[in-house]
Amino acid sequence: MNTATGATQISRPLRVAAWLNFLAQTTIIATGGAVRLTGSGLGCPTWPTCTPESLIPTEELSYHSLIEFGNRMMTGVVGIVALVVFILVLVAKLQRTRRDLFTLSLIVGLGIVAQAIVGGVTVWTGLNPFIVGFHYVSSLLLVCVTAAFLVRMDAVPGPRERAVPAWFAALTHATSFVLAVTVLFGVLTTASGPHSGDAAAGRTGFDAVLLQHIHAWPGYVLLALTLALVIGAWTNRLPIRTWVTTLLAVELVQIAVGLYQARNGLPPLAVGIHMVLAALSAATMTVVILRLKRPVAAERPAEASVAA
């Protein structure tokens, strides 16, 4: 990073660890989805041990226990990566110069611990669909936090100002709200559908078909708003135009997968991809929101040259 602009130097190890942090948080959503979609949610019937007598799966258990236990081990990997990021932040003494990076890395670390506990509660309650849904949303939020860390890692510290017109910023925040509503109804739809994680697990009792249609409505509104952002960004040549275009691309793939799974009986692989894409959509939206502002200092050289 260029120190001439006032940016804090970020070491290569921290940069690599930060990207691994984002990838790990995204991957654990995929492995968690695999647990549910293969009916392995209670493959290990107890927590924190796999069985009352054993920490790891025993020979008597089925392959479901290996899938469930593998996801638990992934939690350890995610925790180690997050800890490495936090330690590198402390080693670089960024808690003094970059409180934003310190806070974000701390949130991820504490969030992983909380997630592990929620995972245990999920098992204890026999895969209560509302707790399973909360577990997913929490994971999605951690993906967004790690994405925010990547953005802030390359940001110049100091005062910031809006880099886009006020109407564009307002439209972006409205779009993010609709995205949140879309994800919420998507979680409720999944919690009411056939993929419960275990044959004995309960469902919400809501009409899954009706929820599927309700989930689609804000999804199409989201697409329309994002398209408006793309048109507005390119028409006005805003610096954020590449990222809103990326958001639109992710949403188009997400909608295509959603339509495919709805019309083909909810195949597990498609549902899993849909879950991961939802997290990537939220992460991309996080980047878009953070890019709405720029460092005030970034404009000073240009203003000075114009004045000269």
Side-chain angles (χ1 to χ4, degrees):
M1 196 169 293
N2 189 357
T3 55
T5 63
T8 303
Q9 285 284 359
I10 302 297
S11 68
R12 183 175 182 81
L14 176 55
R15 192 174 296 277
V16 171
W19 275 102
L20 290 176
N21 206 17
F22 173 76
L23 291 174
Q25 292 292 345
T26 304
T27 301
I28 201 169
I29 285 182
T31 60
V35 171
R36 179 195 295 187
L37 297 170
T38 59
S40 304
L42 295 177
C44 286
T46 63
W47 188 90
T49 59
C50 187
T51 70
E53 298 80 20
S54 176
L55 176 64
I56 63 176
T58 61
E59 294 181 358
E60 292 78 13
L61 297 177
S62 67
Y63 72 94
H64 292 301
S65 63
L66 297 177
I67 296 174
E68 161 65 7
F69 191 74
N71 185 59
R72 293 188 185 188
M73 291 299 97
M74 186 61 198
T75 301
V77 173
V78 170
I80 291 173
V81 175
L83 180 61
V84 169
V85 171
F86 185 69
I87 290 175
L88 289 174
V89 167
L90 293 180
V91 169
K93 298 180 179 179
L94 296 180
Q95 67 271 25
R96 301 177 183 176
T97 59
R98 295 298 305 273
R99 296 286 298 180
D100 54 344
L101 297 182
F102 171 77
T103 301
L104 290 170
S105 63
L106 180 61
I107 289 173
V108 173
L110 295 177
I112 291 171
V113 174
Q115 273 291 73
I117 296 173
V118 173
V121 174
T122 301
V123 174
W124 293 339
T125 59
L127 305 183
N128 180 289
F130 295 104
I131 297 179
V132 172
F134 176 76
H135 196 42
Y136 170 76
V137 172
S138 301
S139 293
L140 183 147
L141 291 176
L142 287 177
V143 171
C144 293
V145 176
T146 55
F149 188 98
L150 293 175
V151 175
R152 294 299 302 163
M153 186 170 60
D154 286 326
V156 178
R160 302 177 69 76
E161 64 182 3
R162 205 172 55 238
V164 299
W167 65 265
F168 189 91
L171 183 60
T172 300
H173 289 300
T175 304
S176 68
F177 173 76
V178 175
L179 173 60
V181 173
T182 305
V183 171
L184 174 62
F185 278 104
V187 171
L188 287 175
T189 302
T190 302
S192 305
H195 299 298
S196 62
D198 188 87
R203 302 278 75 196
T204 63
F206 299 142
D207 187 331
V209 176
L210 176 61
L211 279 174
Q212 181 177 306
H213 290 293
I214 296 176
H215 170 51
W217 299 337
Y220 291 128
V221 173
L222 173 65
L223 178 63
L225 291 175
T226 305
L227 185 59
L229 288 176
V230 171
I231 294 173
W234 283 96
T235 301
N236 294 277
R237 300 193 62 78
L238 301 179
I240 203 174
R241 57 187 180 273
T242 300
W243 279 107
V244 293
T245 303
T246 301
L247 177 62
L248 176 63
V250 175
E251 289 175 3
L252 287 173
V253 176
Q254 174 78 324
I255 289 174
V257 173
L259 291 173
Y260 171 81
Q261 68 175 21
R263 295 176 180 178
N264 290 274
L266 302 177
L269 180 59
V271 175
I273 293 173
H274 199 59
M275 291 171 60
V276 174
L277 285 172
L280 293 178
S281 296
T284 307
M285 177 60 79
T286 300
V287 176
V288 170
I289 291 174
L290 291 177
R291 297 276 183 177
L292 292 176
K293 291 187 176 182
R294 63 190 170 197
V296 174
E299 292 298 301
R300 289 174 184 169
E303 292 170 359
S305 62
V306 171

